[in-house]
Structures are given as C-alpha cells and as structure tokens.
Amino acid sequence: FVICIEREISEEFIENYFKRVKHIRETPEEILSPFKDFLLKDFKVKTKAEINSWAINQAYLTLGTMLTVCAAEEIDSCPMEGFMPEKYDELLSLEKHNLHSVLVLPVGYRAKDDQFSSFKKVRRPLDDVIIEY
C-alpha cells in the first residue's frame, strides 16, 4: 500500500467531505455545520506546512489501523518511511489525483524458509518505556 495525503486541502474539499457525510449518514445540517464551519475557518488561517503536517498525522492514524488489521488477520506487514516519495508520485501519476505519497506499507506472507521469522523479538524492557505514577 502507498498511503497518500492530499496535496491541497481546499474549502471545496472540506465542503465535499461534509456533503458526503450528510448524504451517507443522513445527518442534519444543524449538527454538521458547527464542525464544518470550524474546519473551514481553521484551515483558512493555517499555513501550508501546518496543513501538510496535519495530513501526515492523519496518514499515520490510517497506518496504525492498517497494521492492527494485518496483525489480527495474521498478515505480515512492515511500515516504511525513508523511500523516495517523488519517485512514487511520478510512477503512480499521483499529482493528477492531487495526492502525495507519505508512507509505504508492504503486506503479505513471509516465506516458509525465512530463517529470521523464528528469531525472538528484541524489545526494550517495559520498565524502560512505560512510566508509572
């Protein structure tokens, strides 16, 4: 999977999202309007960098859900950063869809002869990573 963000989140994008929510959920306008109005106002004052950062955070939420589903279904997966997003964008013609790649998630099943699959996981002790008060 190539997880992408919108290159630009415009007023029209936000409006269309709420139209879709209203259509699918049949949610009354008076319930949707306060949040929609807040987002429209908030995104107007955010810089492009702030919106980009917000969108990337949304992509990580998606990644977390996908990793959880893969684990539950016993499908191997490995989240990846450090790839060349511009090359992915070019190869997949993402710009014409107003998208930019930010994460990659290969999924599948490991080879039966993968000697590393039986190695014990090496993790820091819980006492090193969890602080109890």
Side-chain angles (χ1 to χ4, degrees), residues 9-23:
I9 299 176
S10 64
E11 189 173 302
E12 179 184 12
F13 181 86
I14 295 169
E15 291 278 359
N16 286 338
Y17 170 76
F18 280 94
K19 284 178 188 172
R20 187 163 170 76
V21 170
K22 184 177 180 179
H23 172 74

Side-chain angles (χ1 to χ4, degrees), residues 4-132:
C4 301
I5 62 171
E6 299 288 329
R7 288 182 179 271
E8 181 184 342
I9 299 176
S10 64
E11 189 173 302
E12 179 184 12
F13 181 86
I14 295 169
E15 291 278 359
N16 286 338
Y17 170 76
F18 280 94
K19 284 178 188 172
R20 187 163 170 76
V21 170
K22 184 177 180 179
H23 172 74
I24 291 173
R25 294 182 181 165
E26 298 179 0
T27 307
E29 187 68 36
E30 59 270 13
I31 291 175
L32 295 175
S33 283
F35 187 45
K36 178 180 75 173
D37 295 344
F38 165 77
L39 285 180
L40 288 169
K41 183 178 176 187
D42 189 49
F43 273 66
K44 253 183 204 164
V45 297
K46 285 188 184 304
T47 65
K48 185 161 179 66
E50 289 171 324
I51 293 171
N52 193 56
S53 178
W54 172 86
I56 290 170
N57 287 339
Q58 300 306 302
Y60 274 98
L61 293 173
T62 299
L63 175 69
T65 300
M66 292 174 77
L67 288 167
T68 301
V69 170
C70 285
E73 295 295 324
E74 297 181 352
I75 300 170
D76 295 313
S77 60
C78 180
M80 293 174 59
E81 293 181 309
F83 64 102
M84 299 165 92
E86 298 78 20
K87 296 290 185 186
Y88 275 64
D89 294 358
E90 181 182 333
L91 179 69
L92 299 171
S93 302
L94 294 177
E95 190 168 343
K96 74 179 183 182
H97 300 286
N98 192 39
L99 296 174
H100 173 61
S101 56
V102 292
L103 298 165
V104 177
L105 181 64
V107 298
Y109 299 99
R110 66 189 74 187
K112 295 199 185 312
D113 62 349
D114 179 1
Q115 66 179 4
F116 297 100
S117 67
S118 62
F119 286 9
K120 288 184 177 181
K121 298 285 184 200
V122 178
R123 303 287 188 253
R124 291 173 56 192
L126 285 178
D127 291 349
D128 286 355
V129 295
I130 296 176
I131 300 169
E132 291 187 48

